[in-house]
Amino acid sequence: MPIITLLTDFGNQDGYVAAMKGVILSRAPDVTLVDITHAIAPQAVLQAAYVLAQAAPFFPTGAIHVAVVDPGVGSARRPLAIQTSTATFVGPDNGLFTDVLDSGAVTACVHLDRPRFWRDDPSSTFHGRDIFAPVAAHLAQQVSINILGTPINDPVRLLLPKPQRQPDGTLTGAIIHVDHFGNLISNIPAAWLSVARWQVHIGPATIDGIQPSFAAAPVGALLAYRGSAGTLEVAVRNGSAAQALGAEVGQTLAAEPHSH
């Protein structure tokens, strides 16, 4: 039986996550359940999309990823399943799966519109338990995605910010994620940082140089570095850059090349 991962904004203090796990295990008792996180900020679809995109590629082929950050639950937004060459994704059609859809690996995308594969009498406020969890269990038991719903070709995509190269060589972008440490993760590809010296400008701060690691900067100092996700990041060594700069998702930044 395959792995089923769970990513939600449900937190851990209530019974919501456990209810989803109970539904899955009642139908597919041999699956391996893995929590990616349940600490996504409430209704933060962009944060969920980023975290899912960072975690999902590292799972074995055949994993089923259930992601439920769903401010539109109970509305006309569609429940969705997406199959790629390596995994299947289940959740709301609200842009959460933008990176998956843009990957070029999608082999099927369906509107989950067949209630016989759901829990009976589903709640209009808890599709995670009543639609997405049972669908994931069916997928784990080799039910074809095309049996679970009707194919669609217009899933919702987020309008994600794009980094830019300016004519003078300056790179501009935005903070797309703030992690648990308060590190600011940008959308500027680390591969663009090809010349030897840069100045990074964010808010009131200017940071000289790109450091190879946190340890290269003094404790409490701002630093810029190439992050593990392959983009330019800003941190405070042993501190929070988000707090130090008052920065959040959407904050703009620029990297300016210096020849001397």
Side-chain angles (χ1 to χ4, degrees), residues 2 51 89 124 145 160 177 189 198 206 260:
V51 173
F89 298 82
S124 61
I145 190 173
L160 299 175
H177 185 63
W198 294 87
T206 295
H260 302 293

Side-chain angles (χ1 to χ4, degrees), residues 50 161-166 169-177 184-194 198-202 210 224-234 251-257:
Y50 179 84
K162 302 293 185 186
Q164 303 287 333
R165 296 179 194 251
Q166 305 303 325
T170 298
L171 311 177
T172 58
I175 301 305
I176 56 170
H177 185 63
L184 307 176
I185 300 169
S186 85
N187 60 353
I188 296 176
W192 289 11
L193 301 167
S194 56
W198 294 87
Q199 275 192 333
V200 176
H201 306 280
I202 178 167
I210 307 294
Y225 58 98
R226 296 170 174 86
S228 63
T231 62
L232 175 66
E233 300 185 16
V234 172
Q251 170 94 37
T252 59
L253 78 165
E256 182 182 1

Side-chain angles (χ1 to χ4, degrees), residues 1-56:
M1 299 293 279
I3 293 167
I4 295 178
T5 77
L6 300 174
L7 180 152
T8 76
D9 59 351
F10 294 170
N12 289 303
Q13 69 271 34
D14 301 304
Y16 304 133
V17 174
M20 288 180 62
K21 291 180 178 181
V23 168
I24 292 169
L25 292 171
S26 296
R27 290 159 173 76
D30 296 328
V31 300
T32 299
L33 290 174
V34 177
D35 297 295
I36 293 179
T37 182
H38 302 293
I40 299 297
Q43 296 90 49
V45 176
L46 180 62
Q47 181 190 12
Y50 179 84
V51 173
L52 180 65
Q54 293 310 307

Side-chain angles (χ1 to χ4, degrees), residues 18 26 50 57 61 79 83 112 125 128 136 142 152 193 196 202-203 211 260:
S26 296
Y50 179 84
T61 297
Q83 193 167 67
L112 298 170
T125 61
Q142 308 302 314
I152 59 171
L193 301 167
I202 178 167
Q211 302 300 334
H260 302 293

Side-chain angles (χ1 to χ4, degrees), residues 5-251:
T5 77
L6 300 174
L7 180 152
T8 76
D9 59 351
F10 294 170
N12 289 303
Q13 69 271 34
D14 301 304
Y16 304 133
V17 174
M20 288 180 62
K21 291 180 178 181
V23 168
I24 292 169
L25 292 171
S26 296
R27 290 159 173 76
D30 296 328
V31 300
T32 299
L33 290 174
V34 177
D35 297 295
I36 293 179
T37 182
H38 302 293
I40 299 297
Q43 296 90 49
V45 176
L46 180 62
Q47 181 190 12
Y50 179 84
V51 173
L52 180 65
Q54 293 310 307
F58 296 97
F59 281 85
T61 297
I64 299 160
H65 302 288
V66 181
V68 190
V69 176
D70 195 12
V73 64
S75 71
R77 77 95 188 92
R78 300 171 294 193
L80 200 66
I82 302 166
Q83 193 167 67
T84 72
S85 53
T86 57
T88 308
F89 298 82
V90 180
D93 183 25
N94 61 9
L96 204 164
F97 302 114
T98 298
D99 288 284
V100 178
L101 294 166
D102 290 346
S103 69
V106 174
T107 57
C109 181
V110 303
H111 174 200
L112 298 170
D113 55 0
R114 297 175 185 167
R116 68 184 181 275
F117 298 107
W118 309 348
R119 289 188 71 241
D120 294 338
D121 193 25
S123 164
S124 61
T125 61
F126 198 177
H127 287 181
R129 179 193 66 194
D130 296 344
I131 298 177
F132 302 132
V135 162
H138 285 299
L139 287 164
Q141 294 175 313
Q142 308 302 314
V143 176
S144 167
I145 190 173
N146 292 308
I147 292 174
L148 297 171
T150 302
I152 59 171
N153 58 13
D154 61 342
V156 172
R157 285 173 163 85
L158 296 171
L159 293 174
L160 299 175
K162 302 293 185 186
Q164 303 287 333
R165 296 179 194 251
Q166 305 303 325
D168 65 356
T170 298
L171 311 177
T172 58
I175 301 305
I176 56 170
H177 185 63
V178 179
D179 74 8
H180 169 74
F181 299 101
N183 300 332
L184 307 176
I185 300 169
S186 85
N187 60 353
I188 296 176
W192 289 11
L193 301 167
S194 56
V195 302
R197 293 195 60 208
W198 294 87
Q199 275 192 333
V200 176
H201 306 280
I202 178 167
T206 295
I207 304 166
D208 283 314
I210 307 294
Q211 302 300 334
S213 69
F214 299 111
V219 172
L222 274 170
L223 69 145
Y225 58 98
R226 296 170 174 86
S228 63
T231 62
L232 175 66
E233 300 185 16
V234 172
V236 168
R237 184 178 174 190
N238 295 8
S240 167
Q243 191 171 48
L245 296 172
E248 55 190 24
V249 170
Q251 170 94 37

